[in-house]
Amino acid sequence: MSKMNGAQSLVNALEAAGVDVMFGIPGGAILPAYDPIFDSKIRHILVRHEQGAGHAATGYAQATGRVGVCIATSGPGATNLVTPLADAQMDSVPIVAITGQVPSAAIGTDAFQEADIRGVTMPVTKHNYLITDPADIPRAIAEAFYIASTGRPGAVLVDIAKDALQKETTFNYPKNVSLAGYNPVVEPKSEAIADAAALITQSKKPVLYVGGGVIKANAAKELMMLAEITGAPVVTTLMARGAFPDSHPQHLGMPGMHGTVAAVTALQKADLLITLGARFDDRVTGKLSSFAPNAKIIHADIDPAEIGKNRHADVAIIGDLKNILRALAPATKTALSKSAPDITPWLTEVYGWRSKFPLGYDKPSDGSVSPQYVIERIGKISGPDTIFAAGVGQHQMWASQFIGYEKPRTWLNSGGLGTMGYAVPAAMGAKVGAPDTTVWAIDGDGCFQMTNQELVTCALNNIPIKVAVINNESLGMVRQWQTLFYNQRYSNTDLHSKRIPDFKLLAEAMGCVGLRCEKPGDVDKTIEAAMAINDRPVVVDFNVHRDAMVWPMVAAGTSNDEITIARSMAPVWDSQEL
């Protein structure tokens, strides 16, 4: 075995782990690693902020299914990764963060640029390491990638002391990884499969409640099999958009706070929820005690900690969802061939709701641009192969509602943590992972001003993403709440973004093409102009109507029975009907 320093061992380990790209910024404690990075076959993309590195790693991972990698120095470099680590962990995205740490003798002395990043990130990572012995580097990297990508995916941090990077060592990458106490269950128990199939045969009002775990497990084809065998209506959560085609006749859309009336009501009135890789998140359930009151629950998930966390499961199936669905689909087909309830009345009722309460929006009476129309047209003109990354807020909800998603990994967003500023760096990472695919960032003027510095990174590194800034000069979702719940007292939500900054000039200053659209009649030609530019990033400032709102809506903390579709906040349903 050849001798080398810990830094070279680190880079060799990353190469052995199959890393082809990483996003990062050098600094003092991590600097030894940047010397061998100079000669490595791994592409390193120099970002403008560590938060951008972390979200880019997430976007890369969500678009490709591979582990995303980011790298930063100690202290503020590492703490700038906390938000993307928490974000990735909440949404079960496999990323590995490498951080430098002050020399081991200085740890705990409040040395320059020291932060206990292992302690800081312990609550927001799946696992993390502090390495002070260079001999431990290859093993830690191998384990980090294994932990991040197996079981329920998540974020792993490897913090390496500067002297461990500088000391001499030998490189010995483990051929396999075995961790005591970490053995994710991937094969479901046959008894659980049989119990689930039996429960399905007893259901007259079933719903397939599909979460992001189906996409993580690459199980969209298997989901389709089960859906067509059962004939049950399907709802896809915010993290599962694209797991089941929007165009499929069984699809009801997205459930939750801003879900479709049909999806929300189907869950409420179901007698069985076939829950696949979803976690009964508060944004889906509304007031938990009133959620789906008459439904039995089949809960299939790779993470046993999710079973029973928010809602008791009548049948729990633990395992990889691809394996679960491969077993459950034929078992259900066999069971239904012997005893199949008539779900036709249920389907008639459910699809009636879908027809009666389709998603829609009002055109602004003043002739200004409708934000929903902009997003709808971007989806139509770009097509179903496009990857869309959204920020957080009204534009995120409109993008989830008014773009048709036909395929997994075409919709990227920050679901659990709700991170403003996610879209631009995540789109950058997605474009790096899928360079031949059109990637749009659907961003708000508030989100865009948090991380738009990564457009410089895109321009310099030939990463031609497209950014639609849905500019309503407001923190739009907060303004919506102020309109509805705070007597239109707009405290600190006015961003003045139609005056300062000039997004078109800002884009041009960053080496991008800047476009602006202010009239409804110009929307299509502006989008087409953006689509025609593929050698540089493009930013389009869409000046949209300020008071457009996201509907339907279930107000926070209320029951899904109180879903409303207009500003009057009158529930769709009389409570006696439910």
Side-chain angles (χ1 to χ4, degrees), residues 431-442:
K431 184 67 175 176
V432 169
D436 298 326
T437 302
T438 300
V439 179
W440 273 97
I442 309 291

Side-chain angles (χ1 to χ4, degrees), residues 316-332:
I317 314 175
I318 297 167
D320 180 272
L321 273 167
K322 186 183 278 282
N323 297 336
I324 288 172
L325 289 167
R326 280 177 175 169
L328 185 57
T332 301

Side-chain angles (χ1 to χ4, degrees), residues 261 265 356-357 552 561-566 570-574 577:
V261 170
T265 309
K356 186 176 180 181
F357 298 103
D561 295 345
E562 298 175 52
I563 186 169
T564 56
I565 57 172
V572 172
W573 307 106
D574 183 282
E577 293 181 43

Side-chain angles (χ1 to χ4, degrees), residues 81-113:
L81 287 177
V82 173
T83 296
L85 285 168
D87 182 86
Q89 182 67 8
M90 282 280 272
D91 285 344
S92 305
V93 180
I95 70 168
V96 170
I98 313 294
T99 53
Q101 184 53 274
V102 299
S104 51
I107 291 174
T109 68
D110 293 333
F112 177 66
Q113 289 194 331

Side-chain angles (χ1 to χ4, degrees), residues 447-517:
C447 288
F448 182 68
Q449 292 184 75
M450 291 192 174
T451 51
N452 62 34
Q453 72 278 344
E454 298 312 331
L455 287 170
V456 175
T457 310
C458 291
L460 291 173
N461 288 277
N462 189 30
I463 307 169
I465 65 170
K466 305 180 194 303
V467 182
V469 182
I470 308 301
N471 183 359
N472 61 3
E473 60 189 329
S474 301
L475 297 172
M477 189 62 89
V478 186
R479 180 183 169 87
Q480 175 167 331
W481 290 357
Q482 288 172 333
T483 300
L484 297 173
F485 308 119
Y486 291 90
N487 298 317
Q488 301 179 39
R489 288 162 55 84
Y490 297 120
S491 173
N492 289 282
T493 47
D494 190 343
L495 293 172
H496 305 285
S497 310
K498 291 179 183 176
R499 294 190 297 109
I500 300 173
D502 183 320
F503 289 136
K504 182 178 182 294
L505 292 179
L506 182 65
E508 290 169 357
M510 293 186 180
C512 307
V513 175
L515 303 173
R516 181 178 289 116
C517 178

Side-chain angles (χ1 to χ4, degrees), residues 20-379:
D20 60 356
V21 65
M22 53 188 175
F23 304 87
I25 304 181
I30 196 66
L31 194 57
Y34 271 79
D35 190 60
I37 285 173
F38 191 75
D39 299 317
S40 173
K41 63 182 181 182
I42 299 172
R43 180 185 183 189
H44 180 282
I45 294 175
L46 175 62
V47 297
R48 293 306 183 265
H49 191 289
E50 290 88 357
Q51 184 179 354
H55 291 318
T58 293
Y60 173 90
Q62 287 180 312
T64 66
R66 304 183 65 199
V67 178
V69 181
C70 53
I71 184 166
T73 196
S74 64
T79 59
N80 280 342
L81 287 177
V82 173
T83 296
L85 285 168
D87 182 86
Q89 182 67 8
M90 282 280 272
D91 285 344
S92 305
V93 180
I95 70 168
V96 170
I98 313 294
T99 53
Q101 184 53 274
V102 299
S104 51
I107 291 174
T109 68
D110 293 333
F112 177 66
Q113 289 194 331
E114 181 185 2
D116 177 11
I117 198 61
R118 189 172 188 221
V120 168
T121 61
M122 204 166 281
V124 296
T125 52
K126 187 175 177 182
H127 192 60
N128 59 20
Y129 295 83
L130 170 59
I131 304 299
T132 56
D133 183 343
D136 293 336
I137 290 172
R139 175 191 57 80
I141 294 298
E143 290 179 2
F145 278 81
Y146 176 67
I147 293 167
S149 60
T150 56
R152 180 179 185 170
V156 179
L157 176 127
V158 183
D159 192 35
I160 309 173
K162 186 174 185 178
D163 56 319
L165 293 169
Q166 294 169 319
K167 287 178 183 174
E168 193 173 81
T169 186
T170 55
F171 177 69
N172 183 20
Y173 194 78
K175 291 178 180 174
N176 50 59
V177 174
S178 178
L179 295 168
Y182 180 70
N183 296 295
V185 174
V186 294
E187 293 295 339
K189 289 184 177 177
S190 56
E191 298 88 347
I193 296 293
D195 289 346
L199 204 52
I200 292 169
T201 66
Q202 297 163 26
S203 167
K204 292 183 178 180
K205 296 182 176 183
V207 176
L208 283 159
Y209 164 24
V210 176
V214 169
I215 293 175
K216 303 296 187 300
N218 297 313
K221 288 181 181 177
E222 290 76 10
L223 168 64
M224 179 66 75
M225 286 172 54
L226 182 64
E228 295 189 337
I229 287 166
T230 62
V234 179
V235 304
T236 50
T237 68
L238 182 68
M239 294 307 298
R241 304 290 289 115
F244 192 77
D246 278 0
S247 59
H248 195 282
Q250 285 168 241
H251 194 236
L252 301 182
M254 183 176 76
M257 177 177 270
H258 294 294
T260 66
V261 170
V264 171
T265 309
L267 290 178
Q268 285 302 94
K269 298 188 80 170
D271 66 6
L272 176 65
L273 301 186
I274 305 165
T275 309
L276 306 171
R279 58 189 180 88
F280 295 90
D281 173 69
D282 64 283
R283 283 309 196 247
V284 168
T285 66
K287 187 179 178 183
L288 188 61
S289 61
S290 66
F291 175 69
N294 301 314
K296 295 275 183 75
I297 305 294
I298 295 169
H299 195 173
D301 205 286
I302 198 161
D303 184 358
E306 285 298 338
I307 308 295
K309 185 181 83 176
N310 291 330
R311 176 68 178 256
H312 169 74
D314 297 278
V315 176
I317 314 175
I318 297 167
D320 180 272
L321 273 167
K322 186 183 278 282
N323 297 336
I324 288 172
L325 289 167
R326 280 177 175 169
L328 185 57
T332 301
K333 187 174 184 179
T334 300
L336 288 172
S337 69
K338 297 172 184 174
S339 171
D342 182 11
I343 66 169
T344 308
W346 170 239
L347 297 179
T348 301
E349 189 176 21
V350 166
Y351 298 149
W353 300 329
R354 185 173 62 188
S355 299
K356 186 176 180 181
F357 298 103
L359 286 171
Y361 52 89
D362 296 324
K363 291 182 180 177
S365 58
D366 61 0
S368 59
V369 179
S370 160
Q372 299 98 320
Y373 176 70
V374 168
I375 291 168
E376 188 174 50
R377 294 307 298 157
I378 291 172

